[in-house]
Amino acid sequence: GGAVNILEIRAKLNNVEIVGSQNRIDARTNNESKNISNIFLKTISPTGIVHFEFAGGSTSDRLSGGTTAGATTAPSITVSIIKVQ
């Protein structure tokens, strides 16, 4: 139940969105845990700055800093950067 809340994450390189990095889910229940995963390729120079942005469709959407409902793992992000030769 509940209203549809669209949650999105995207990666940016030097403040420009990386094409193919955006991903979204529709969370229909409050306090429901969701996983977002994505794979994309981008050439990054040694001085490039990569950051990630999270956005929600409601002012109440947020990343919680703690565990809820007996969970043992706090919300987190894992990023792998692989040098291709």
Side-chain angles (χ1 to χ4, degrees):
V4 175
N5 285 320
I6 297 171
L7 309 172
E8 296 184 340
I9 189 168
R10 67 179 176 177
K12 288 181 133 184
L13 174 61
N14 299 326
N15 284 324
V16 177
E17 182 177 346
I18 298 173
V19 174
S21 71
Q22 186 176 11
N23 205 342
R24 65 181 262 169
I25 58 171
D26 293 338
R28 298 179 185 273
T29 304
N30 291 339
N31 298 320
E32 181 179 10
S33 295
K34 291 286 189 175
N35 292 319
I36 302 176
S37 90
N38 197 6
I39 297 172
F40 56 91
L41 297 174
K42 181 67 178 171
T43 300
I44 303 171
S45 71
T47 58
I49 297 173
V50 177
H51 72 271
F52 297 87
E53 294 180 341
F54 171 84
S58 168
T59 57
S60 64
D61 292 336
R62 67 187 185 281
L63 294 176
S64 173
T67 58
T68 57
T72 57
T73 305
S76 62
I77 184 170
T78 301
V79 178
S80 297
I81 299 176
I82 301 168
K83 182 177 180 180
V84 178
Q85 298 181 342

